[in-house]
Amino acid sequence: MTYRLSHLAALESEAIHIIREVVAEFERPALLFSGGKDSAVLLHVAAKACWPQKIPFPVVHVDTGHNFPEVIEYRDRQVGSHGVRLVVGSVQEDIDRGAIVEHPTPGATRNRLQTFTLLRVLEEGGYDAVFGGGRRDEEKARAKERVFSLRDEFGQWDPRAQRPELWSLYNTRHRPGEHFRVFPLSNWTELDIWQYIDSEQIPLPSIYFAHSREVFRRNGMLLALGPFTAPRDGVADESVFTATVRYRTVGDMTCTAAVESLAGSPLEVIAETAATRVSERGATRADDRTSEASMEDRKREGYF
């Protein structure tokens, strides 16, 4: 009798294999955690991969200072429930000590500033492998990634220097100072993520589900009214109104947009996701709209 895994079980099995490979081959792994749905799934799968012991590596969060409060609360709750060590890299602290300079425009995004803080945290921690929740269906630059993505001694990514991964065999050799970014969810889609969340009953920040929020339109995107985002003076079409929205992805409040939605449960989000033809980053991340190569440029600099 032939036993066939469901597609979710097969994806989970692959991710568990990758996580265990990292734990076996590297000295100081860490897991990058944004508080979003992909990193929530990654943390859940990591707990399964390491069971019956607790997750033996820390969770790293790069805090821009412009995060949604619901996401920070969720991060602390999840880290506590899994009993893992949390390492926070603060963009605000790097700004305060003059290591990086914030753009003077009110409400400017801090997304690009995250790269410096991330690389600093990785260097200080001596991490030689860092898990990320990136998926190949997010946008074009991520589709070029290997599962094991080699980064040089400056934390930078060269897509031409990546190694073949035939038959799911991974070359983990690296020189001192180099490290790997590892993506166990590479072969998952946004729909797979939501189906797995529903199947495993994984909790998420409340902003992923429909709620009433004050928003305004900018460049066709719905931005939340908040301490870091407000309509520009004299721009008539940026008037504030209340809408029922949810977020498909989370990030810096200044560049992460909501979508109008009535989906209040994972099953309703699954139905909505199955019908959409626009990736969540393309639809809701203003920083990814600056150019066709915006994400690839940031990845080359060391961004995840």
Side-chain angles (χ1 to χ4, degrees), residues 29-32 122 127-132 179-183 304:
L31 187 149
L32 193 67
L122 297 186
Y127 303 118
D128 52 1
V130 187
F131 293 110
H179 71 276
F180 280 89
R181 310 284 174 90
V182 182
F183 302 101
F304 233 83

Side-chain angles (χ1 to χ4, degrees), residues 84-302:
V84 295
R85 180 167 66 91
L86 175 64
V87 177
V88 178
S90 171
V91 171
Q92 184 63 58
E93 289 180 5
D94 285 334
I95 293 172
D96 292 343
R97 64 188 182 89
I100 48 180
V101 178
E102 188 169 21
H103 196 282
T105 303
T109 179
R110 291 181 172 180
N111 252 21
R112 277 195 174 273
L113 302 184
Q114 289 183 90
T115 299
F116 176 90
T117 303
L118 172 61
L119 295 178
R120 174 182 61 77
V121 170
L122 297 186
E123 182 179 6
E124 290 175 355
Y127 303 118
D128 52 1
V130 187
F131 293 110
R135 309 185 325 267
R136 289 176 180 158
D137 72 325
E138 289 182 82
E139 50 77 49
K140 295 176 182 178
R142 294 208 195 269
K144 296 181 180 180
E145 281 283 16
R146 299 289 196 268
V147 175
F148 280 65
S149 180
L150 180 66
R151 303 301 174 104
D152 66 19
E153 63 271 27
F154 302 107
Q156 297 178 335
W157 175 68
D158 181 355
R160 295 170 299 180
Q162 302 306 308
R163 299 164 180 176
E165 294 179 339
L166 304 176
W167 305 292
S168 297
L169 297 175
Y170 306 111
N171 182 347
T172 62
R173 295 182 63 182
H174 60 285
R175 294 188 291 267
E178 296 177 336
H179 71 276
F180 280 89
R181 310 284 174 90
V182 182
F183 302 101
L185 308 182
S186 286
N187 292 323
W188 299 50
T189 66
E190 183 184 8
L191 187 59
D192 294 328
I193 291 290
W194 276 106
Q195 289 174 333
Y196 189 77
I197 286 167
D198 179 62
S199 173
E200 297 287 306
Q201 295 295 291
I202 300 172
L204 290 179
S206 58
I207 64 173
Y208 271 110
F209 303 103
H211 60 285
S212 180
R213 189 178 287 262
E214 288 188 302
V215 297
F216 60 94
R217 290 193 185 277
R218 177 175 295 167
N219 299 325
M221 306 178 77
L222 289 178
L223 296 178
L225 181 66
F228 314 112
T229 49
R232 293 169 292 190
D233 292 337
V235 181
D237 60 353
E238 291 192 2
S239 57
V240 176
F241 61 98
T242 301
T244 301
V245 300
R246 70 176 184 88
Y247 286 83
R248 290 177 66 186
T249 181
V250 299
D252 193 298
M253 292 179 68
T254 59
C255 64
T256 304
V259 295
E260 293 187 87
S261 172
L262 297 176
S265 69
L267 279 176
E268 291 173 341
V269 174
I270 288 169
E272 199 173 82
T273 302
T276 189
R277 293 296 178 266
V278 182
S279 74
E280 70 263 42
R281 293 193 70 93
T284 65
R285 294 298 285 270
D287 53 326
D288 287 345
R289 292 185 169 191
T290 55
S291 75
E292 283 288 320
S294 58
M295 173 61 80
E296 183 163 337
D297 291 341
R298 281 184 290 153
K299 286 174 68 65
R300 289 177 183 273
E301 295 167 0

